[in-house]
Amino acid sequence: MRRIAYLGPRGTFSEQAALDYAGDQSVELVPCESLQEVCLGVADGRYTQGVLPLENLIEGTVNPVLDLLLELPVLKIQAEMMLPVAHHLLVQPGSAVRDIRTVLSHPQALAQCRRYLARKLPAAKLLPVESTALAASMVAGGEKTMAAIGTTAAAKHYNLTTLEQNIQDRSNNCTRFVVVGREDIPCREVPCKTSLVVSLLDRPGALYSILKEFAWRGINLTRIESRPARTCLGEYIFFIDLEGHLGEPAVKEALEDITALSRQVRILGCYPACQSAGCQSGKKEETLEELRADIDIIDRQVIELLGKRAKLVTRVGELKQNAGQVRDPAREAQVLAQVRRLAQHHGLSPDVLETVYRTLLDYFVELQVNQLTSRVP
Ligand SMILES: O=C(O)C(=O)C[C@]1(C(=O)O)C=C[C@@H](O)C=C1
């Protein structure tokens, strides 16, 4: 039987996510003591899959999960889920708000209820523990002065009373969970998401050079997050989630290009995209402004590349002795032949592109002539 691990004990949001994922399939759900235990167990084959909280609407990324995904390259993301997250203040029966001296929960849950805690329990000591359900079990076996922040399921499991409901800072709070396993599951559904880890080269504009590959192809990024590479201070690894399937030509090409531009690119997974609560998803109607903004990006890149070309032409100019040597008709014929070929390949008019390039070549020749005539003998 398939074994699906989650951060336990019983009554955590992870258990809820695992139950949602399992649906009516017959699987064994295994509560683990830590996220590390979930990941190690999947990596070494004790569990078929693991359910991990990845990012929260209020608190953002769950960094330990990113670090575990980095440390265990065998793990692949196979699915994602969005779970609405409502936190409740749980106490032993008979306790009141005025009795509470300590509030226990997972650090993420404490952070997601920051405003409530500051307003209602400003003097209480906040005690982070491994999970919301562990906090509930500790309250059940502890003092009357303790409270836990946790789920309705945890209240039921540990016979606690819910003193206050929905204490999270935002009513639309939700957490994105991912399911990890050891193999890639071919994603046949649409819309799809692809997750990557990119290790950049240490040079100016390295991140920009990666991002522009997605931008000009119109690939939408849903998340970009950095984590220290742990090799030397200042080196970072980027986690990127994008809308699209690995098999789509634009995504495939972008990945080929960023692989050439980076130290390392690892594909964490390609899986069906889940609709985000309260957020629009799917393909939007394109507006005139959006299309023009995309054209502006391309124009910026074209000019940037022409700037780079001009620098190379200037270096060629340094090798030439005098203005009489500048124009090289044979080389220009080669350049123009390639331009015509590429124009054809990209569905553009070879004649129009040749005209554009003849104008550019005249300009580059002029640059070299000026360079040579202003050279100090
Ligand atoms: O290849 C050279 O010799 C260059 O100077 C570069 C370049 C070009 O812009 O491509 C410019 C002028 C020459 O007529 C031929 C080519």
Side-chain angles (χ1 to χ4, degrees), residues 12-37:
T12 55
F13 288 102
S14 292
E15 183 192 37
Q16 229 165 288
L19 283 166
D20 283 1
Y21 177 68
D24 49 15
Q25 307 171 71
S26 77
V27 294
E28 183 192 351
L29 296 184
V30 188
C32 292
E33 275 182 13
S34 65
L35 291 168
Q36 191 183 25
E37 179 57 22

Side-chain angles (χ1 to χ4, degrees), residues 322-324 326-327 363-375:
N322 54 59
V326 165
R327 191 130 232 167
Y363 167 63
F364 288 123
V365 165
E366 194 186 314
L367 280 186
Q368 282 185 350
V369 170
N370 291 342
Q371 179 188 0
L372 284 163
T373 48
S374 62
R375 194 189 275 170

Side-chain angles (χ1 to χ4, degrees), residues 309 313 316 320 326-328 331-332 361 364-365 368:
R309 192 185 196 283
V313 168
V316 172
K320 294 184 177 173
V326 165
R327 191 130 232 167
D328 183 338
R331 172 63 187 153
E332 288 193 14
L361 286 170
F364 288 123
V365 165
Q368 282 185 350

Side-chain angles (χ1 to χ4, degrees), residues 106-128:
H106 186 276
Q108 276 266 342
L110 291 170
Q112 290 165 31
C113 302
R114 206 177 274 127
R115 276 197 264 160
Y116 170 85
L117 293 169
R119 209 173 51 240
K120 291 282 183 66
L121 293 162
K125 192 173 158 227
L126 306 182
L127 197 68

Side-chain angles (χ1 to χ4, degrees), residues 164-179:
E164 201 131 11
Q165 286 188 323
N166 296 314
I167 61 168
Q168 68 277 8
D169 288 352
R170 295 189 74 94
S171 58
N172 61 343
N173 191 24
C174 66
T175 294
R176 175 177 169 230
F177 285 84
V178 289
V179 178

